[in-house]
Amino acid sequence: MIRVGIYGATGYTGFELIKLLQCHPHVQISFATARSAAGKRLSDEFPTLIDLPIIAPEAADPATVDVAFCCLPHGASAPTVMQALAAGARVIDLSADFRLRDPADYERWYNAPHPAPEMLDQAVYGMPELYREHIRDARLVANPGCYPTSVILPLHPLARAGLLADPVVIVDSKSGVSGAGRSLSLKTHFGETHETFSAYNIGRKHRHIAEMDQETGARIIFSPHLLPVFRGILSTIYVTLKPGVELAAVRAAYDIFADEPFTHLLPDGRLPELRYVVNTNLCVIGIQPVDVDAGRYIIVAVEDNLLKGASGQALQNMNVMCGFDETMALT
Amino acid sequence: MIRVGIYGATGYTGFELIKLLQCHPHVQISFATARSAAGKRLSDEFPTLIDLPIIAPEAADPATVDVAFCCLPHGASAPTVMQALAAGARVIDLSADFRLRDPADYERWYNAPHPAPEMLDQAVYGMPELYREHIRDARLVANPGCYPTSVILPLHPLARAGLLADPVVIVDSKSGVSGAGRSLSLKTHFGETHETFSAYNIGRKHRHIAEMDQETGARIIFSPHLLPVFRGILSTIYVTLKPGVELAAVRAAYDIFADEPFTHLLPDGRLPELRYVVNTNLCVIGIQPVDVDAGRYIIVAVEDNLLKGASGQALQNMNVMCGFDETMALT
Amino acid sequence: MIRVGIYGATGYTGFELIKLLQCHPHVQISFATARSAAGKRLSDEFPTLIDLPIIAPEAADPATVDVAFCCLPHGASAPTVMQALAAGARVIDLSADFRLRDPADYERWYNAPHPAPEMLDQAVYGMPELYREHIRDARLVANPGCYPTSVILPLHPLARAGLLADPVVIVDSKSGVSGAGRSLSLKTHFGETHETFSAYNIGRKHRHIAEMDQETGARIIFSPHLLPVFRGILSTIYVTLKPGVELAAVRAAYDIFADEPFTHLLPDGRLPELRYVVNTNLCVIGIQPVDVDAGRYIIVAVEDNLLKGASGQALQNMNVMCGFDETMALT
Amino acid sequence: MIRVGIYGATGYTGFELIKLLQCHPHVQISFATARSAAGKRLSDEFPTLIDLPIIAPEAADPATVDVAFCCLPHGASAPTVMQALAAGARVIDLSADFRLRDPADYERWYNAPHPAPEMLDQAVYGMPELYREHIRDARLVANPGCYPTSVILPLHPLARAGLLADPVVIVDSKSGVSGAGRSLSLKTHFGETHETFSAYNIGRKHRHIAEMDQETGARIIFSPHLLPVFRGILSTIYVTLKPGVELAAVRAAYDIFADEPFTHLLPDGRLPELRYVVNTNLCVIGIQPVDVDAGRYIIVAVEDNLLKGASGQALQNMNVMCGFDETMALT
């Protein structure tokens, strides 16, 4: 039995994480914090029968936990992470603060100096399919962004196999509204989001590009769109592979995922839909050849942005760190 | 050609009203105000090609308009209404401030003394099907609430014909989210409203009961629910009529609406759906006998809460007041 | 480890049941049938990674299973039920064929003679909260309808405590579209169901009334409505209790459910929302006093129509029948 | 006053067209046909107060109308078109039968010989922005497909100005479910479409590519997706222009649309959303530079697939053909 604490319990990722943790047979939740809801109970914030007192972050003692999860916004997360590490806890940070290895990248994309550059070389990018061995012993795991998970998992095998002929990759992603968080904004007001669809921050603007470029070596042109559903991301990815690479060779690149519990390649001719993966920790991938002579393929990947794209992957990382079965509380 | 002004242009009712007014051949919009958006243009606030500068309410001169529309919250509306009347404008008030004839009712339901009780006997309840002749010459029209319109129109004929055996009427209403307005609130955040359904303020709690009781003479038990759609109200109304009243007699009570352009009774055996009326100014009514011997009937009524339930009815009132064809810009 | 078979695997209830059964540690699925999809695999029909071959019903041997689930339409179910019983299997029938104790009731509501009246006195109505002891040893369990579960659970305690002053109870129910099944129909075509809302079969018409009347002793006036969501039922129930019954006494009637794992009464002042229960086997109930002197209360109950309203309750029944923990594979 | 007839009145495009035509001051509907609904009224099929008898196609006499609209599936449309032309009617065909100038293209994409190749050189592609002068005198107008309208309008100005450096253009389109029509199919069943999102027929598979290639001279890689909304298409278009072309020069290419009533270019920095155009005949376009040196731009275009993408454009064509104001009944 390990003890865990959650900073930032009343956002969507915090709440999803608590739902998962409460079903984990080897986990005991020691504290859950939220500045705005301190003194309330979780059931005051969410329509749920799961319950828990919520405390102020200052009232939480990270020295009492084995693992601390930080579900705080970027920038705000780093100080809490540093404090928890100093208290001896291992940390899984769901913010962007420790995802980029180069502090110059952080500064360029987040318009601020990195808040704790000295920790960057100890942080491990928390995607088990790529860094499982490093995660096992990590004290600080930087949990990947939601969009990047849906892009790096399908692109990494192609990059690793040296199949990408053109570093420029067009990624047209569509995300459910929960990706925009639970803070109030006209952008996520029902009347402005329901029964519509829009693109935003398209081109080379969205901060998640930094992670995608870092982990794939590609130069991603990224078009996020807002879907009128609550959960899920579908990314349609346009790659130019080496001319003439046959479908069988493309499929073979994904053999490295053959034993992965949460990353699946569909059979030829099938493409994934969002509902395959909503409420699961899966990333499901389909491949469509377009012009084999020219190396043109389309890859479609889906995930639940709150699970494999956030809290599910965080729990998967915890399972790896603690030597539990990696799928525990995730199936 | 008449000139009109709109106070409160950036809420849903203000915006709907402007869309209608811009298509009206005899109307020229002199000003549109919104405190929070003063200095912007309407297209900065709404994804629209319709455009208009938005000014601060203080910058608007009601003396320049024939008709002023107040799309402000209750309590906040009355002072603006009084100022516009004093400047010589006729006023259509979409708030609740002048809907209740008895200031004691206002105080009981709105927990505050009436802001301008001296104007109450000049205000006309703006439901043309009931008060067309008074609206024609009114200087102040109190536009009905959204829920009450969907309840009073189907109940008034039964009350007027003396068919209601029991004053207690159960009204189970379901409204699209636009009824909760455009102000930010967790209640109308996409993630809290989408793909769910809930009851709220049920029993004898919702303020709109005051109007329903006043206009029908009944005692309404009212259960509002929040539908995961943007527009529309469907009210399912359980009445106990005099024992043995046949369906034909019930239908005959609705003959008073035979020439109404916007209130329709469906043929026997048909019930209205929300999509009949979304984006129209119609209220459509269906009747279902349950137990004729016991006088039990169910009446189902639908309307678009932003049109017949708010801005459409406001424009209908303006047409009546100004002697235009009552359906102008509404079909 | 028990062996089970599922007749009718490609409807929504069959598919939900299989998803649950595949997570049950003591269950092995021996067969899943569907006439129209015989020879295919489950993943050809549903976007899922769960997989299973589908066979024709004739190819299924009920003698090989401990428990057979019938997810077939009423009328079609009885012969299969009889055949499975004859082969020695215990049966959980999700159709309406064995829910009504009196064959005359069946004939009146289903317009056909009962297909196997001789079995009716052996069938147990499969609501564990009411009939747990009988379910334990039953050879045939008639799984309740979706609407009735959301009505009987909140009404039974009031009826049992003798609090209902008027047998007439108005039930205004709203169901997600999955309640209408997976067969093609314009009624469930996206364009006819999405972004709208409608009442249907209101009054004393819907067949589920027969179960509600039978199990509550009340005379239910029932108004079903179709919600534009996939899963979930919310029932708003208007009861007239004995004059002057205080809220505390009403709440006390629900004490019989105090130890129930899946039926919860909310604290005073809270009403349930659909999202409390979607994807759970819970029925959650809230109570709103309206006029205590007159005995007027409103009860609101929610459930997931595919779980507590169908396949979840079926699995709960199986757990009871087989002596497993009643919540196994349901939490 | 002209007389018109509609073949195929009970699909979504037929119904939308009738709604528009009934508001047109110079149009009288002589007949509306639908084989499956012959003998019924339009209000039996659609929840509408608009009404009209529906007759069998054989009972319609095209000699009695000035303009016949064919809202039939491809292949089925051509014989009716030929019959109406022979009877002296001018025809607007909403099917794909006469959109491709080269019968070999038809055969390649539709897997059948063209049903009436001798008419192809008289047919005009019905996009007024490109072919207004030819439409004016055309006897047969081939109304464009829904997806192609959202792609050709934004691409044509770039192609015409010679700015496209690479003929390969990636088009990632997302369409509301009404694009899949009103015929029953599991693909458009509520439970399979709601709250999900999927890609289909991606690459060089979808038949609408034929029109896009023909009218733009590009080679379109086309990825259609199904959005969980009823109406609207948003196309995200990735073009490679001549290296170094500045935004101002790109915008200037759209000057040819400056006087178009229904095609709008947004100001710099703004991208269109679906709700800008739902229930309008508009196509709204936004431009996002990505890498000017490399000529990389993204164009986003939106339209209502049932209006500018089908019936609205058909009526616009009729207005052009008959010398009416082009916007009549469309604003």
Side-chain angles (χ1 to χ4, degrees):
Chain A
M1 187 71 74
I2 63 165
R3 288 157 309 155
V4 307
I6 300 100
Y7 292 94
T10 56
Y12 288 128
T13 56
F15 178 58
E16 285 293 314
L17 187 59
I18 290 170
K19 283 201 293 182
L20 296 172
L21 289 166
Q22 290 206 334
C23 295
H24 197 294
H26 301 328
V27 166
Q28 185 187 327
I29 298 177
S30 294
F31 62 79
T33 80
R35 189 171 308 281
S36 62
K40 296 190 189 176
R41 299 187 65 81
L42 192 62
S43 59
D44 295 327
E45 288 289 306
F46 285 96
T48 178
L49 299 171
I50 296 166
D51 215 352
L52 216 60
I54 300 175
I55 63 174
E58 295 73 18
D61 180 1
T64 65
V65 299
D66 301 290
V67 177
F69 292 90
C70 286
C71 305
L72 301 171
H74 75 265
S77 192
T80 300
V81 167
M82 299 304 283
Q83 181 196 355
L85 288 169
R90 298 171 79 186
V91 177
I92 299 172
D93 180 22
L94 282 81
S95 88
D97 280 353
F98 297 94
R99 293 179 193 156
L100 302 182
R101 276 185 283 276
D102 184 344
D105 280 346
Y106 185 92
E107 184 152 1
R108 181 157 66 94
W109 287 96
Y110 291 88
N111 302 318
H114 193 279
E118 69 280 12
M119 270 308 292
L120 285 178
D121 58 1
Q122 293 185 46
V124 177
Y125 193 71
M127 193 171 278
E129 290 83 351
L130 275 66
Y131 299 107
R132 184 171 285 114
E133 293 314 312
H134 296 87
I135 293 166
R136 234 181 270 286
D137 302 315
R139 290 189 57 227
L140 171 55
V141 168
N143 212 59
C146 53
Y147 282 124
T149 300
S150 78
V151 174
I152 295 167
L153 285 172
L155 276 183
H156 166 78
L158 304 178
R160 188 169 178 279
L163 293 178
L164 285 176
D166 185 347
V168 174
V169 174
I170 289 172
V171 176
D172 193 288
S173 288
K174 301 85 177 176
S175 173
V177 179
S178 57
R182 201 162 175 250
S183 301
L184 296 184
S185 153
L186 203 47
K187 195 176 77 168
T188 48
H189 195 64
F190 185 86
E192 318 288 307
T193 310
H194 176 71
E195 199 62 9
T196 189
F197 183 71
S198 57
Y200 65 99
N201 278 359
I202 62 177
R204 288 282 298 171
K205 293 182 166 179
H206 195 286
R207 286 159 167 172
H208 281 174
I209 291 171
E211 289 169 61
M212 301 183 203
D213 284 4
Q214 169 179 286
E215 298 298 329
T216 64
R219 177 175 167 82
I220 306 291
I221 293 179
F222 181 57
S223 298
H225 298 74
L226 201 58
L227 272 177
V229 304
F230 185 58
R231 307 169 76 114
I233 288 178
L234 184 148
S235 291
T236 311
I237 303 173
Y238 300 86
V239 291
T240 307
L241 304 183
K242 294 194 171 152
V245 181
E246 296 289 341
L247 176 57
V250 178
R251 296 188 64 85
Y254 290 86
D255 286 349
I256 56 171
F257 289 163
D259 297 327
E260 287 298 333
F262 296 118
T263 303
H264 286 274
L265 183 65
L266 288 177
D268 275 3
R270 284 186 60 190
L271 295 175
E273 303 183 26
L274 218 55
R275 59 186 172 138
Y276 275 63
V277 295
V278 166
N279 292 321
T280 81
N281 196 47
L282 296 168
C283 177
V284 179
I285 299 168
I287 304 175
Q288 177 66 51
V290 180
D291 180 341
V292 171
D293 289 347
R296 291 193 177 273
Y297 282 79
I298 305 174
I299 319 289
V300 179
V302 295
E303 63 169 30
D304 185 320
N305 59 308
L306 295 178
L307 292 173
K308 186 62 177 168
S311 305
Q313 188 151 249
L315 187 60
Q316 187 182 355
N317 282 319
M318 186 203 81
N319 283 335
V320 173
M321 291 163 80
C322 298
F324 301 140
D325 181 319
E326 195 167 325
T327 66
M328 201 167 267
L330 288 170
T331 48
Chain B
M1 187 70 73
I2 63 164
R3 287 157 310 154
V4 307
I6 300 100
Y7 291 93
T10 58
Y12 288 129
T13 54
F15 179 57
E16 284 293 314
L17 186 60
I18 291 170
K19 283 201 293 183
L20 295 173
L21 288 167
Q22 290 206 334
C23 296
H24 197 294
H26 300 329
V27 167
Q28 185 186 328
I29 298 178
S30 294
F31 62 78
T33 81
R35 190 171 307 282
S36 62
K40 295 191 190 175
R41 299 187 65 81
L42 192 62
S43 60
D44 295 327
E45 287 289 308
F46 285 96
T48 178
L49 299 170
I50 295 167
D51 215 352
L52 215 61
I54 300 176
I55 62 174
E58 295 75 17
D61 180 1
T64 65
V65 299
D66 301 290
V67 177
F69 292 90
C70 286
C71 304
L72 301 171
H74 75 264
S77 193
T80 300
V81 167
M82 299 304 282
Q83 182 195 356
L85 288 170
R90 298 170 80 184
V91 177
I92 298 172
D93 180 21
L94 282 80
S95 87
D97 281 353
F98 297 94
R99 292 179 193 155
L100 303 182
R101 275 184 284 276
D102 183 343
D105 280 345
Y106 185 92
E107 184 152 3
R108 182 158 66 93
W109 286 96
Y110 291 88
N111 303 318
H114 193 280
E118 69 281 11
M119 270 308 293
L120 285 179
D121 57 1
Q122 294 185 46
V124 178
Y125 193 70
M127 191 171 279
E129 289 83 352
L130 276 65
Y131 299 107
R132 183 170 285 115
E133 293 314 312
H134 296 87
I135 293 166
R136 233 181 270 287
D137 301 314
R139 289 190 57 228
L140 171 55
V141 168
N143 212 59
C146 54
Y147 282 123
T149 300
S150 77
V151 175
I152 296 167
L153 285 172
L155 276 182
H156 165 78
L158 304 179
R160 187 169 178 280
L163 294 178
L164 286 176
D166 185 348
V168 174
V169 174
I170 290 173
V171 175
D172 192 290
S173 289
K174 302 86 177 174
S175 173
V177 179
S178 58
R182 202 162 176 249
S183 300
L184 296 184
S185 152
L186 203 48
K187 196 176 77 168
T188 49
H189 196 63
F190 184 85
E192 317 289 307
T193 310
H194 176 70
E195 199 63 6
T196 190
F197 182 70
S198 58
Y200 66 99
N201 279 358
I202 61 177
R204 288 282 299 173
K205 293 181 168 180
H206 195 287
R207 286 160 168 171
H208 281 174
I209 291 171
E211 289 169 60
M212 300 181 203
D213 284 3
Q214 169 180 287
E215 298 298 329
T216 65
R219 178 175 166 84
I220 306 291
I221 292 178
F222 181 56
S223 297
H225 298 74
L226 201 57
L227 272 178
V229 303
F230 185 57
R231 307 170 77 115
I233 288 177
L234 184 147
S235 291
T236 312
I237 303 173
Y238 300 86
V239 291
T240 307
L241 304 183
K242 294 196 170 149
V245 179
E246 296 290 340
L247 177 56
V250 179
R251 295 188 64 85
Y254 291 86
D255 287 349
I256 56 171
F257 290 163
D259 297 327
E260 286 298 334
F262 296 118
T263 303
H264 287 274
L265 183 66
L266 288 176
D268 274 3
R270 285 185 60 190
L271 295 175
E273 303 183 26
L274 219 54
R275 59 185 171 139
Y276 275 63
V277 294
V278 166
N279 292 321
T280 79
N281 196 48
L282 296 168
C283 176
V284 179
I285 299 167
I287 304 175
Q288 177 66 51
V290 180
D291 181 340
V292 170
D293 288 347
R296 290 193 178 273
Y297 283 80
I298 306 175
I299 318 288
V300 179
V302 295
E303 64 168 31
D304 184 320
N305 60 307
L306 295 178
L307 292 173
K308 186 61 178 169
S311 306
Q313 188 152 249
L315 186 60
Q316 186 182 355
N317 282 320
M318 186 203 80
N319 283 335
V320 173
M321 291 163 81
C322 297
F324 301 141
D325 181 320
E326 196 167 324
T327 67
M328 202 168 267
L330 288 171
T331 48
Chain C
M1 185 72 71
I2 63 163
R3 288 159 308 155
V4 307
I6 300 100
Y7 292 94
T10 56
Y12 288 129
T13 56
F15 179 58
E16 284 294 313
L17 186 60
I18 290 171
K19 284 201 293 184
L20 295 172
L21 288 167
Q22 290 208 334
C23 295
H24 197 294
H26 300 329
V27 166
Q28 185 187 327
I29 298 178
S30 294
F31 62 79
T33 80
R35 191 173 305 282
S36 62
K40 296 191 189 175
R41 298 187 66 82
L42 193 62
S43 59
D44 296 326
E45 288 289 307
F46 286 96
T48 177
L49 299 171
I50 295 166
D51 215 351
L52 214 61
I54 300 175
I55 63 175
E58 294 73 19
D61 181 1
T64 65
V65 299
D66 300 291
V67 177
F69 292 91
C70 286
C71 305
L72 300 172
H74 74 264
S77 194
T80 300
V81 167
M82 299 305 283
Q83 181 197 356
L85 288 170
R90 298 171 81 185
V91 176
I92 299 171
D93 180 21
L94 282 83
S95 86
D97 280 353
F98 297 94
R99 292 178 193 156
L100 303 182
R101 275 186 283 276
D102 183 343
D105 281 346
Y106 185 91
E107 184 153 0
R108 181 158 66 95
W109 286 96
Y110 291 88
N111 301 319
H114 192 280
E118 68 280 11
M119 271 307 293
L120 284 179
D121 59 0
Q122 294 185 46
V124 178
Y125 193 71
M127 193 172 276
E129 289 83 351
L130 275 65
Y131 300 106
R132 184 171 285 114
E133 294 314 311
H134 296 86
I135 293 166
R136 233 181 270 286
D137 301 313
R139 291 190 56 227
L140 171 54
V141 168
N143 212 59
C146 53
Y147 282 123
T149 300
S150 78
V151 175
I152 295 167
L153 285 171
L155 276 183
H156 165 79
L158 303 179
R160 187 171 178 279
L163 294 178
L164 285 176
D166 184 346
V168 174
V169 174
I170 289 172
V171 175
D172 193 291
S173 289
K174 301 86 176 175
S175 173
V177 179
S178 58
R182 201 163 175 249
S183 300
L184 296 184
S185 151
L186 203 48
K187 195 176 79 168
T188 49
H189 196 64
F190 185 85
E192 318 289 307
T193 310
H194 176 71
E195 199 64 6
T196 189
F197 182 70
S198 57
Y200 66 99
N201 278 0
I202 62 178
R204 289 282 298 174
K205 292 183 169 180
H206 195 287
R207 286 160 166 172
H208 281 175
I209 290 172
E211 290 169 60
M212 302 183 201
D213 283 5
Q214 169 180 286
E215 298 298 329
T216 64
R219 179 177 166 83
I220 306 292
I221 293 178
F222 181 55
S223 298
H225 298 73
L226 201 58
L227 272 178
V229 305
F230 185 58
R231 305 169 77 114
I233 288 177
L234 184 147
S235 291
T236 311
I237 302 172
Y238 300 86
V239 291
T240 307
L241 304 183
K242 294 194 170 150
V245 180
E246 295 289 342
L247 177 56
V250 179
R251 294 189 64 85
Y254 290 86
D255 287 349
I256 56 171
F257 290 161
D259 297 327
E260 287 298 333
F262 297 118
T263 303
H264 287 274
L265 183 66
L266 288 177
D268 275 2
R270 284 186 61 191
L271 295 176
E273 303 183 26
L274 218 55
R275 60 186 171 139
Y276 275 62
V277 294
V278 166
N279 292 321
T280 80
N281 196 47
L282 296 168
C283 176
V284 179
I285 300 167
I287 303 175
Q288 177 65 52
V290 180
D291 181 340
V292 171
D293 288 347
R296 291 193 177 273
Y297 282 80
I298 305 174
I299 319 289
V300 179
V302 295
E303 64 169 29
D304 185 320
N305 59 308
L306 295 179
L307 292 174
K308 186 61 176 169
S311 305
Q313 188 150 252
L315 187 60
Q316 187 182 354
N317 282 319
M318 186 204 79
N319 284 335
V320 173
M321 291 162 80
C322 297
F324 302 139
D325 181 322
E326 195 168 325
T327 67
M328 201 167 269
L330 288 171
T331 48
Chain D
M1 187 69 72
I2 62 164
R3 287 158 309 154
V4 307
I6 300 101
Y7 292 94
T10 58
Y12 289 129
T13 54
F15 179 58
E16 284 295 314
L17 186 60
I18 291 170
K19 284 201 293 184
L20 295 172
L21 288 167
Q22 290 206 335
C23 296
H24 197 295
H26 301 328
V27 167
Q28 185 187 328
I29 298 179
S30 295
F31 62 78
T33 81
R35 190 171 306 281
S36 62
K40 296 191 189 176
R41 299 186 65 83
L42 192 62
S43 59
D44 296 326
E45 288 289 306
F46 286 96
T48 176
L49 299 171
I50 295 167
D51 215 350
L52 214 61
I54 300 176
I55 63 174
E58 294 74 19
D61 180 1
T64 65
V65 299
D66 301 290
V67 177
F69 293 90
C70 285
C71 304
L72 301 172
H74 75 264
S77 194
T80 300
V81 167
M82 299 304 283
Q83 182 196 355
L85 288 170
R90 297 171 81 184
V91 176
I92 298 172
D93 180 21
L94 283 81
S95 87
D97 280 353
F98 296 95
R99 292 178 193 155
L100 303 181
R101 275 185 283 277
D102 183 343
D105 281 346
Y106 185 92
E107 184 152 0
R108 182 157 66 93
W109 287 95
Y110 291 88
N111 302 319
H114 193 280
E118 69 280 10
M119 271 307 294
L120 285 178
D121 58 0
Q122 294 186 44
V124 178
Y125 193 70
M127 193 171 277
E129 290 82 351
L130 275 66
Y131 299 107
R132 184 170 285 112
E133 294 313 313
H134 296 86
I135 293 165
R136 233 182 270 287
D137 301 314
R139 290 190 57 228
L140 171 55
V141 168
N143 211 59
C146 53
Y147 282 124
T149 300
S150 78
V151 175
I152 296 167
L153 285 172
L155 277 183
H156 166 77
L158 303 178
R160 187 170 178 279
L163 294 177
L164 285 176
D166 184 347
V168 174
V169 174
I170 290 172
V171 175
D172 193 290
S173 289
K174 301 86 177 174
S175 173
V177 179
S178 58
R182 202 163 175 250
S183 300
L184 296 184
S185 152
L186 204 46
K187 196 175 77 169
T188 48
H189 196 64
F190 185 85
E192 317 289 307
T193 310
H194 176 71
E195 199 62 8
T196 190
F197 183 70
S198 58
Y200 66 99
N201 279 0
I202 62 177
R204 290 280 299 171
K205 292 182 167 179
H206 195 287
R207 286 161 166 171
H208 281 174
I209 291 172
E211 290 169 60
M212 301 182 201
D213 284 5
Q214 169 180 287
E215 298 298 328
T216 64
R219 179 176 166 83
I220 306 291
I221 293 178
F222 181 56
S223 298
H225 298 72
L226 202 58
L227 272 178
V229 303
F230 185 58
R231 305 170 77 115
I233 288 178
L234 184 147
S235 291
T236 312
I237 303 173
Y238 300 87
V239 291
T240 308
L241 304 183
K242 294 195 170 149
V245 180
E246 295 290 341
L247 177 57
V250 178
R251 295 188 65 85
Y254 290 86
D255 287 350
I256 56 171
F257 290 161
D259 297 327
E260 287 298 333
F262 297 118
T263 303
H264 286 275
L265 183 66
L266 288 176
D268 274 3
R270 284 185 61 190
L271 295 175
E273 302 182 26
L274 219 54
R275 59 185 170 140
Y276 276 62
V277 295
V278 166
N279 292 322
T280 80
N281 196 47
L282 295 169
C283 177
V284 179
I285 300 167
I287 304 175
Q288 177 65 52
V290 180
D291 181 339
V292 170
D293 289 347
R296 289 192 178 275
Y297 282 80
I298 305 174
I299 318 288
V300 179
V302 295
E303 64 169 29
D304 185 320
N305 59 307
L306 295 179
L307 292 174
K308 186 61 177 169
S311 306
Q313 188 151 250
L315 187 60
Q316 187 182 353
N317 282 319
M318 187 204 78
N319 283 335
V320 173
M321 290 163 81
C322 298
F324 302 140
D325 181 320
E326 195 167 327
T327 66
M328 201 166 269
L330 288 170
T331 47

